[in-house]
């Protein structure tokens, strides 16, 4: 069974700012653990909506709230963790095959998301029961492999 702590990581980006203001650089392959193929951002969500609610077969993500705050609930079918994104220098790296929900957006929230994959709806799992079945199957495979 894969531990959730191995499927996610908090990233702390350096600030290259000076008296003129702050400057945060995130480069694919170094600060970001993958080469960036896709960027999208979510704003205008509020504290009543829940976004995400899916897992991805291939996409990895780094989420950065560059303007306000939001929370992310991460779930691998066995463990869950809630992370608050509350500063522009903080990133949340998520590997593939984790279920995620983004919520509790502040009015000034701009959630920037970077990914290693182009958009492909076929690699999204949007049904939680299907996701649970998939991770159970994967973890059974792991346990069998442990005995070999
Ligand atoms: P959706 O996955 O529901 O967004 P969220 O994960 O934030 O809840 O995406 C909303 C719509 O946008 C849906 O029709 C798919 C489309 N979309 C793209 O075309 N490309 C993308 O990279 C993303 C993230 C979404």
């Amino acid at each position: 069974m894969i531990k959730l702590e191995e499927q996610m990581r908090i990233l702390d980006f350096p600030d290259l700012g000076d008296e003129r203001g702050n400057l945060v650089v995130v480069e694919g392959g170094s600060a970001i653990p993958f080469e960036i193929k896709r960027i999208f951002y979510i704003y205008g969500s509020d504290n009543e909506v829940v976004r995400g609610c899916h897992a991805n077969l291939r996409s990895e993500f780094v989420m950065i709230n560059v303007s306000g705050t939001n929370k992310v609930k991460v779930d691998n079918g066995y463990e869950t963790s809630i992370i608050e994104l509350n500063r522009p220098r903080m990133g949340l790296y998520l590997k593939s095959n984790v279920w995620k929900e983004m919520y509790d957006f502040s009015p000034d929230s701009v959630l920037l998301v970077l990914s290693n994959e182009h958009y492909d709806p076929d690699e999204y799992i949007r049904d939680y029961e299907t996701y649970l079945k998939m991770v159970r199957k994967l973890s059974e495979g792991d346990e069998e492999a442990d005995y070999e």
Side-chain angles (χ1 to χ4, degrees):
M1 190 174 85
I2 309 176
K3 290 205 174 89
L4 186 57
E5 63 185 31
E6 291 165 13
Q7 296 171 292
M8 55 182 274
R9 191 155 78 236
I10 304 295
L11 308 176
D12 193 25
F13 307 121
D15 183 356
L16 308 180
D18 53 30
E19 63 285 353
R20 296 169 299 166
N22 302 304
L23 172 67
V24 179
V25 179
V26 291
E27 286 203 28
S30 50
I32 303 298
F34 48 75
E35 293 299 338
I36 300 160
K37 277 198 190 164
R38 175 165 56 126
I39 296 175
F40 55 95
Y41 42 95
I42 294 167
Y43 62 98
S45 293
D46 62 24
N47 60 3
E48 293 191 350
V49 296
V50 181
R51 303 201 57 128
C53 303
H54 45 59
N56 294 75
L57 295 174
R58 291 191 310 277
S59 289
E60 300 186 359
F61 298 98
V62 169
M63 299 185 177
I64 307 166
N65 199 313
V66 292
S67 176
T69 63
N70 73 281
K71 293 193 180 98
V72 187
K73 182 177 169 195
V74 188
D75 177 350
N76 70 354
Y78 295 95
E79 299 171 85
T80 61
S81 179
I82 293 174
I83 296 97
E84 180 170 272
L85 297 176
N86 54 15
R87 56 205 152 84
R89 287 183 39 218
M90 173 185 185
L92 172 62
Y93 169 52
L94 297 176
K95 291 191 177 175
S96 56
N97 291 331
V98 292
W99 186 267
K100 55 220 164 288
E101 299 180 5
M102 297 88 85
Y103 63 101
D104 210 2
F105 296 89
S106 64
D108 53 356
S109 170
V110 181
L111 177 62
L112 176 69
V113 186
L114 318 174
S115 178
N116 64 326
E117 294 281 343
H118 291 140
Y119 182 66
D120 173 5
D122 293 340
E123 63 111 21
Y124 277 69
I125 303 159
R126 293 181 180 272
D127 176 68
Y128 189 65
E129 292 307 315
T130 306
Y131 171 69
L132 284 182
K133 277 188 198 144
M134 188 192 82
V135 290
R136 300 262 182 273
K137 214 167 177 184
L138 283 175
S139 94
E140 279 165 25
D142 280 353
E143 278 159 25
E144 277 166 25
D146 285 346
Y147 290 112
E148 280 168 11

